[in-house]
């Protein structure tokens, strides 16, 4: 439900005039439009070379420019503000304004997000692109956590195809996963997915995976090629097997009070520039993936094509059994119509 922007603006104006009065005419006092400027933090768990950082940083610059500094955002990479599971809570309670969160994390807040995080839902990334920023399909889902968690999903960037990697051998069929401790993102759906494939699911924060693989706490992990490269997981798990078991999404979430504080005009700019950033992200994504494969191969990684049909045979059944609610089924149907 929308709160009154007028009330919030009045409150903001009151606080602002009090703090300006407190500053007096001293060195800290600001005048003109800069006085109304607000700084917002975006939490990201990727490095500065990842396209998420590149696209979000340019998004921040464009919004700041077009709003004449009324919305100023800074992207904090490398999970310095916290791992995704913590930042979900931080966005909810307002201690962080925005975060790039894997769709997986959202399934822990509202199970209906499962429909975006399920194997086989998307034919490919082009199909996914028709969905993840399409308000007719995902608009209600993206607003579904406003009341309960005080946050709203703005939109999404693709994570591309996710594959498996380990330090022991190429994976060809699901049978090769038997007895392997495989790191997955922290969610019930992901745990059950690995179990359905015959592996041992080990949920863990993204930032802990390198040492997990290195120390043997984990045998394997799964991710896209780009993250495999930027995290340098290839150094400790050189067998990269293209299983394409899932096409994931990274969602930009914003604290609902922060969004509410934007004027209608600024919110429109914010949303327009986010959509422009999706285009920007997509324009660098493919090339950077190819580059990542080349660089990891130079670093010793060995790629193989797994028997994707064998994976899909299990995962299609798994997905059908996992679509739990009427909302999920309805969104799933809409997604399939866009294939
Ligand atoms: C991808 C994704 C991240 C996510 C990570 C993970 O790299 O972009 O948002 O955290 O996978 O496996 O945890």
């Amino acid at each position: 439900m929308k709160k009154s922007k007028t009330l919030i603006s009045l409150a903001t104006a009151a606080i602002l005039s009090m703090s300006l009065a407190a500053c007096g005419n001293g060195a800290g006092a600001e005048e003109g439009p800069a006085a109304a400027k607000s700084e917002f933090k975006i939490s990201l768990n990727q490095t500065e070379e990842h396209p998420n950082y590149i696209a979000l940083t340019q998004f921040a610059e464009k919004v700041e420019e077009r709003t004449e500094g009324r919305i100023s955002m800074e992207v904090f990479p490398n999970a310095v503000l916290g791992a995704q599971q913590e930042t979900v809570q931080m966005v909810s309670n307002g201690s962080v304004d925005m975060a790039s969160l894997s769709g997986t994390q959202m399934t822990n807040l509202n199970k209906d997000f499962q429909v975006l995080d399920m194997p086989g839902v998307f034919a490919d990334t082009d199909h996914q692109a028709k969905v993840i920023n399409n308000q007719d399909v995902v608009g209600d889902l993206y607003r579904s956590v406003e009341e309960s968690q005080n946050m709203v999903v703005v939109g999404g960037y693709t994570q591309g195809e996710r594959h498996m990697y380990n330090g022991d051998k190429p994976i060809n069929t699901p049978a090769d996963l038997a007895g392997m401790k495989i790191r997955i993102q922290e969610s019930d759906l992901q745990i059950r997915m690995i179990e359905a494939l015959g592996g041992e699911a080990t949920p863990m924060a993204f930032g802990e995976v390198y040492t997990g693989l290195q120390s043997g706490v984990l045998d394997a992990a799964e991710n896209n090629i780009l993250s495999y490269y930027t995290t340098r997981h290839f150094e400790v798990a050189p067998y990269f097997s293209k299983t394409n078991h899932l096409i994931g999404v990274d969602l930009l979430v914003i604290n609902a009070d922060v969004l509410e504080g934007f004027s209608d005009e600024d919110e429109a700019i914010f949303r327009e520039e986010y959509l422009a950033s999706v285009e920007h992200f997509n324009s660098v994504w493919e090339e950077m993936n190819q580059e990542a494969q080349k660089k990891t191969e130079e670093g010793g990684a060995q790629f193989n094509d797994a028997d994707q049909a064998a994976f899909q045979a299990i995962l299609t059944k798994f997905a059908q059994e996992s679509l739990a609610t009427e909302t999920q089924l309805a969104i799933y149907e809409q997604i399939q119509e866009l294939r």
Side-chain angles (χ1 to χ4, degrees):
M1 214 179 31
K2 280 258 172 197
K3 290 171 208 153
S4 155
K5 280 198 169 140
T6 323
L7 270 183
I8 289 182
S9 321
L10 283 175
T12 312
I15 292 167
L16 200 63
S17 61
M18 281 192 303
S19 56
L20 285 178
C23 287
N25 291 324
E30 288 179 340
E31 283 173 18
K37 182 170 166 172
S38 301
E39 303 270 351
F40 300 106
K41 292 190 173 101
I42 306 180
S43 173
L44 175 69
N45 68 355
Q46 305 283 3
T47 63
E48 288 97 326
E49 60 185 327
H50 193 281
N52 274 16
Y53 180 81
I54 296 167
L56 286 173
T57 303
Q58 186 173 307
F59 160 64
E61 284 165 11
K62 291 272 171 66
V63 172
E64 176 157 8
E65 193 182 302
R66 283 187 63 197
T67 62
E68 296 168 338
R70 290 186 300 278
I71 301 178
S72 167
M73 298 177 279
E74 184 174 348
V75 186
F76 289 79
N78 300 310
V80 289
L81 298 180
Q84 287 192 353
Q85 242 189 346
E86 285 115 48
T87 45
V88 178
Q89 298 312 319
M90 292 164 107
V91 174
S92 178
N93 68 28
S95 51
V96 165
D97 309 294
M98 288 165 241
S100 170
L101 296 176
S102 181
T104 305
Q105 300 295 341
M106 299 307 290
T107 67
N108 296 326
L109 305 182
N110 174 3
K111 279 225 171 339
D112 290 339
F113 278 91
Q114 287 193 159
V115 73
L116 300 182
D117 198 43
M118 191 86 78
V121 171
F122 302 113
D124 49 32
T125 48
D126 288 341
H127 177 212
Q128 187 197 37
K130 293 182 198 160
V131 173
I132 53 180
N133 291 296
N134 181 340
Q135 293 294 326
D136 291 341
V137 182
V138 290
D140 289 345
L141 182 67
Y142 285 3
R143 282 185 297 271
S144 67
V145 283
E146 183 170 2
E147 293 277 296
S148 57
Q149 305 291 330
N150 203 34
M151 58 168 82
V152 175
V153 177
V154 180
Y157 296 161
T158 189
Q159 289 177 3
E161 296 172 356
R162 296 181 72 109
H163 310 282
M164 308 249 175
Y165 48 90
N166 76 102
D168 190 32
K169 61 183 183 193
I171 290 162
N172 290 303
T173 68
D176 294 327
L177 303 178
M180 271 194 184
K181 288 171 285 183
I182 305 168
R183 180 271 171 173
I184 31 87
Q185 301 171 81
E186 310 95 318
S187 92
D188 175 53
L189 183 76
Q190 299 282 314
I191 293 173
R192 288 191 294 105
M193 177 185 77
I194 292 297
E195 288 173 353
L197 290 169
E200 288 176 26
T202 310
M204 191 182 277
F206 188 48
E208 290 166 23
V209 180
Y210 187 99
T211 32
L213 289 165
Q214 193 177 37
S215 65
V217 169
L218 299 169
D219 298 312
E222 54 80 56
N223 220 306
N224 52 45
I225 300 177
L226 205 49
S227 294
Y228 180 58
Y229 165 63
T230 54
T231 54
R232 309 200 70 82
H233 289 173
F234 65 93
E235 295 173 348
V236 284
Y239 294 100
F240 191 99
S241 306
K242 293 190 177 172
T243 51
N244 184 17
H245 54 276
L246 185 72
I247 297 177
V249 61
D250 279 324
L251 301 170
L252 181 70
V253 298
I254 181 167
N255 175 275
D257 296 328
V258 170
L259 184 63
E260 191 66 43
F262 297 168
S263 67
D264 289 345
E265 182 203 351
D266 286 351
E267 181 177 342
I269 293 172
F270 175 83
R271 287 189 179 276
E272 256 172 53
E273 288 301 333
Y274 182 77
L275 291 180
S277 83
V278 173
E279 297 300 318
H280 177 207
F281 175 92
N282 288 339
S283 72
V284 294
W285 172 259
E286 196 46 52
E287 198 183 320
M288 287 186 83
N289 265 284
Q290 283 166 18
E291 188 69 1
Q293 172 154 351
K294 221 173 91 211
K295 288 193 176 140
T296 52
E297 277 173 335
E298 283 163 13
Q302 289 184 39
F303 286 76
N304 74 290
D305 287 318
D307 181 350
Q308 293 190 2
F311 277 85
Q312 284 312 317
I314 295 173
L315 292 174
T316 306
K317 189 164 170 278
F318 168 77
Q320 278 159 1
E321 287 166 3
S322 303
L323 284 167
T325 65
E326 273 186 27
T327 309
Q328 286 172 32
L329 282 167
I331 300 174
Y332 181 83
E333 291 295 312
Q334 270 183 296
I335 294 175
Q336 298 322 310
E337 280 164 20
L338 294 169
R339 249 178 202 261

